[in-house]
Amino acid sequence: MIFDETACYICAKCTSGCPTAVYDPSFKPHVIVARSKVDREALLNDENIWYCVLCKRCERRCPQNVSPLLIVTELKNESYKCAKAHVPKGFEVLSRLLRETGLSSKEEIIITEDFDEYNREEIGLPPLPKINTKAITEALTELGFFDTGCEDQNAKAGTAED
Ligand code: SF4
Ligand code: SF4
């Protein structure tokens, strides 16, 4: 699987197999791939890029081994780092939770059909294991999770458009 959108010949096989495109015809992976170099700044502010559900069907269908999924994901990452429009609030919440607790969601309570509430202990589950949040933060830092590469990315986009 490659990340080079220049191999795309706009056959639209990715879009014809994309489940999101079925529900929202304005979401077209082949168009996002085509626009990712020439119209990047607009794409970073486009709500559309957040509709991808990461199913990988587009990259499995692509005859050129292009991955629209990776291209959309790169756009999402760049949009998040540059605080562009339409970044879902959940990303901020996820980032904070990972840093503070090492978990991707809060510990849930169980609610029965009679609306009685139970925690883990009350239904006989062991407590969650202690999580080394420092190690998780270090790993996320190494992966670039907290990077703010906005200026570099803008420079790259500008160069591509020159
Ligand atoms: S399936 Fe591949 S080659 Fe065809 S439009 Fe999508 S990314 Fe381009
Ligand atoms: S990974 Fe995203 S773009 Fe690709 S087919 Fe699934 S929803 Fe569509």
Side-chain angles (χ1 to χ4, degrees):
M1 196 50 57
I2 57 175
F3 197 52
D4 179 10
E5 57 274 48
T6 59
C8 168
Y9 52 37
I10 319 181
C11 67
K13 276 194 79 174
C14 48
T15 298
S16 64
C18 172
T20 303
V22 171
Y23 290 100
D24 183 350
S26 74
F27 183 82
K28 296 181 171 70
H30 73 289
V31 174
I32 293 176
V33 170
R35 288 175 62 199
S36 61
K37 276 280 185 215
V38 295
D39 197 17
R40 195 172 190 84
E41 193 59 28
L43 271 178
L44 295 177
N45 287 294
D46 192 333
E47 191 174 2
N48 232 257
I49 59 173
W50 297 98
Y51 296 169
C52 168
V53 294
L54 316 176
C55 70
K56 288 175 167 266
R57 285 186 72 177
C58 51
E59 60 179 37
R60 284 202 299 268
R61 291 171 65 88
C62 178
Q64 291 292 88
N65 278 338
V66 175
S67 171
L69 164 62
L70 286 179
I71 290 164
V72 171
T73 302
E74 188 197 45
L75 287 163
K76 284 180 182 172
N77 288 342
E78 194 174 329
S79 182
Y80 176 71
K81 286 175 184 173
C82 299
K84 300 292 184 186
H86 306 300
V87 176
K89 278 204 177 119
F91 276 68
E92 280 299 342
V93 174
L94 175 66
S95 171
R96 183 169 46 75
L97 272 173
L98 279 171
R99 270 177 290 184
E100 292 174 359
T101 68
L103 299 171
S104 59
S105 65
K106 288 183 186 165
E107 189 176 339
E108 301 286 346
I109 53 166
I110 309 294
I111 304 176
T112 68
E113 59 185 14
D114 294 324
F115 295 98
D116 295 322
E117 296 182 359
Y118 297 95
N119 62 28
R120 291 177 66 88
E121 192 183 350
E122 287 167 326
I123 58 172
L125 289 174
L128 288 173
K130 280 255 177 282
I131 293 174
N132 185 342
T133 52
K134 187 166 174 277
I136 287 175
T137 302
E138 282 171 5
L140 290 173
T141 304
E142 202 162 311
L143 287 168
F145 191 79
F146 305 114
D147 286 356
T148 51
C150 191
E151 282 176 17
D152 292 342
Q153 297 286 2
N154 283 343
K156 193 171 86 180
T159 307
E161 286 174 24
D162 287 342

